[in-house]
Amino acid sequence: MDSVAALFCTGALLVGGIYWFVCVLGPAEQKGKSAASLSGGSISSEKVGDKFKQYWSFFLRPPSEIRAKDKDTVPDFVDTFYNLVTDIYEWGWGQSFHFSPSVPGHSHASATRLHEVRASDLISANPDHRILDVGCGVGGPMRAIASHSRSRVVGITINEYQVGRARAHNRKAGLDSTCEVIRGNFLEMPFEDNSFDGAYSIEATCHAPRLEDVYAEVFRVLKPGAKFVSYEWVTTDKYRASDEEHVAVIRGIEQGDALPGLRSYSDIATVARAVGFEVLKEEDLAAPPAGPWWTRLKMGRIAYWRNHVVITVLAAIGIAPKGTVEVHEMLFKTADFLTRGGQSGIFSPMHMILLRKPSNAASASASK
């Protein structure tokens, strides 16, 4: 009887432990993804591993080669990337796929919302406005900005799976009447000229092979006098191309985040002016006295390890696609590169630039 009781207790502890790992610790948010529902987005489970190998092979190449030879296929691989990572991001991070400065006395969720609301205030969004979210993901910033400003927000994402997730979240939040999500390429947006009262992009345009192409499209669809704010991923003035450690960190970020080459902070305003924008303000929101944005990554190492154990177990028993283990390992390594980039100051994910389309601008962008 003692052995039976011991076996029963062991089994109960095992089941309880799995439940705690997957169901209690699993969801990133109260209404977020659970570990048991991780998928490959629009990719069928049996193809996740092959798609990851194709993605990794593509972004292992030097960014200069990707931009020179395959810039037209970059959007397809960015789409693949978000099929692979969207569920993991939602489960392990939340519905806002971006960083924010840490704020004393505020939780990560609260600091994230402050960062999003700041974008809304910078473009003076109000209830009479139709605002464009350039690269909306699953719509975390969209919902925060729509709630704060009462604007109508239209989001565009290249990933069909994210469209479904964003619409579902919008319905749950009661914002489906003010938040619209469509699938499209922000390099060729399906919107009429002069059709938006403002626009923002939070850590999304970094996926564009040429920044001028996406900025020109935003310029085209904005009404004259409207403002656009973007939080850009950049290398800072501390980055040295002659430093092997610096190069390794930046390459690690590029490969693990589907980036066809990070841009220097000094290039952003030049590109904006070239397509016709007026530059109103430019600031690195990660610079002191802002709190470190990478703290959440550094503090999350135990969570990453726990999540990796969960994913490995779920993949082994056939609940999660087997390739998900490799995807999560890539994200774990990339988190380390991001942390090193932040701590050394050579990388910022929130170089803010505030732009305005001139009031006398032509009805369509002259840069097209």
Side-chain angles (χ1 to χ4, degrees), residues 179-202:
C179 293
E180 178 186 353
V181 187
I182 69 160
R183 184 187 183 187
N185 185 346
F186 59 32
L187 301 175
E188 298 175 304
M189 292 191 283
F191 304 122
E192 294 182 359
D193 296 354
N194 309 319
S195 55
F196 287 94
D197 301 289
Y200 64 89
S201 182
I202 299 181

Side-chain angles (χ1 to χ4, degrees), residues 79-363:
D79 183 29
T80 295
F81 173 76
Y82 281 110
N83 274 321
L84 295 171
V85 306
T86 290
D87 277 358
I88 296 176
Y89 277 2
E90 267 203 76
W91 172 54
W93 192 262
Q95 295 172 18
S96 294
F97 296 177
H98 64 80
F99 298 106
S100 60
S102 57
V103 180
H106 287 263
S107 65
H108 293 308
S110 176
T112 295
R113 185 178 175 86
L114 289 172
H115 197 52
E116 294 164 348
V117 165
R118 182 174 190 170
S120 174
D121 291 342
L122 283 166
I123 60 173
S124 306
N126 68 53
D128 296 324
H129 282 175
R130 182 172 181 248
I131 302 296
L132 175 63
D133 183 329
V134 184
C136 66
V138 299
M142 168 191 295
R143 287 181 289 279
I145 287 171
S147 297
H148 174 72
S149 68
R150 303 301 177 187
S151 301
R152 289 167 294 139
V153 184
V154 179
I156 184 169
T157 171
I158 200 167
N159 185 261
E160 184 64 37
Y161 182 69
Q162 289 189 338
V163 171
R165 292 296 299 164
R167 288 175 177 171
H169 288 309
N170 291 345
R171 285 193 298 271
K172 290 178 182 178
L175 293 170
D176 49 328
S177 62
T178 55
C179 293
E180 178 186 353
V181 187
I182 69 160
R183 184 187 183 187
N185 185 346
F186 59 32
L187 301 175
E188 298 175 304
M189 292 191 283
F191 304 122
E192 294 182 359
D193 296 354
N194 309 319
S195 55
F196 287 94
D197 301 289
Y200 64 89
S201 182
I202 299 181
E203 302 183 28
T205 60
C206 51
H207 293 299
R210 285 168 33 96
L211 188 62
E212 46 265 63
D213 292 341
V214 61
Y215 273 23
E217 272 292 271
V218 175
F219 185 94
R220 178 182 67 81
V221 303
L222 283 179
K223 296 177 181 178
K227 290 185 283 188
F228 168 51
V229 65
S230 187
Y231 295 169
E232 295 286 347
W233 281 32
V234 298
T235 55
T236 72
D237 58 354
K238 294 183 178 180
Y239 174 73
R240 299 290 180 268
S242 58
D243 188 310
E244 292 184 1
E245 168 67 9
H246 288 192
V247 172
V249 167
I250 297 304
R251 287 295 291 127
I253 293 172
E254 292 167 339
Q255 291 165 354
D257 282 302
L259 307 181
L262 274 168
R263 285 170 271 272
S264 169
Y265 77 100
S266 61
D267 295 335
I268 309 303
T270 300
V271 169
R273 291 189 179 99
V275 303
F277 278 116
E278 299 171 346
V279 178
L280 302 181
K281 187 176 182 181
E282 192 173 14
E283 179 184 357
D284 184 1
L285 301 182
W293 57 267
W294 64 89
T295 303
R296 188 176 176 188
L297 288 172
K298 196 170 183 180
M299 292 174 62
R301 290 180 183 275
I302 294 177
Y304 274 113
W305 174 84
R306 177 259 304 176
N307 289 353
H308 198 66
V309 172
V310 172
I311 289 173
T312 301
V313 171
L314 293 177
I317 61 180
I319 295 178
K322 292 189 182 297
T324 309
V325 176
E326 287 72 29
V327 174
H328 191 264
E329 184 176 0
M330 174 191 73
L331 296 179
F332 180 82
K333 292 178 179 178
T334 305
D336 181 63
F337 286 121
L338 288 163
T339 301
R340 287 156 62 185
Q343 287 179 317
S344 63
I346 65 171
F347 165 75
S348 172
M350 54 193 75
H351 182 87
M352 184 278 292
I353 187 163
L354 179 62
L355 310 170
R356 180 170 57 204
K357 182 173 180 176
S359 298
N360 61 352
S363 61

Side-chain angles (χ1 to χ4, degrees), residues 32-96:
K33 269 278 178 179
S34 67
S37 60
L38 295 178
S39 72
S42 299
I43 301 171
S44 59
S45 295
E46 65 273 12
K47 293 183 178 180
V48 168
D50 289 339
K51 286 293 186 180
F52 171 72
K53 290 176 183 177
Q54 292 171 16
Y55 163 84
W56 191 244
S57 176
F58 184 84
F59 281 102
L60 269 180
R61 296 182 302 159
S64 57
E65 179 182 324
I66 293 174
R67 292 194 300 270
K69 298 180 179 179
D70 293 297
K71 73 179 182 68
D72 292 337
T73 60
V74 168
D76 293 332
F77 281 97
V78 173
D79 183 29
T80 295
F81 173 76
Y82 281 110
N83 274 321
L84 295 171
V85 306
T86 290
D87 277 358
I88 296 176
Y89 277 2
E90 267 203 76
W91 172 54
W93 192 262
Q95 295 172 18
S96 294

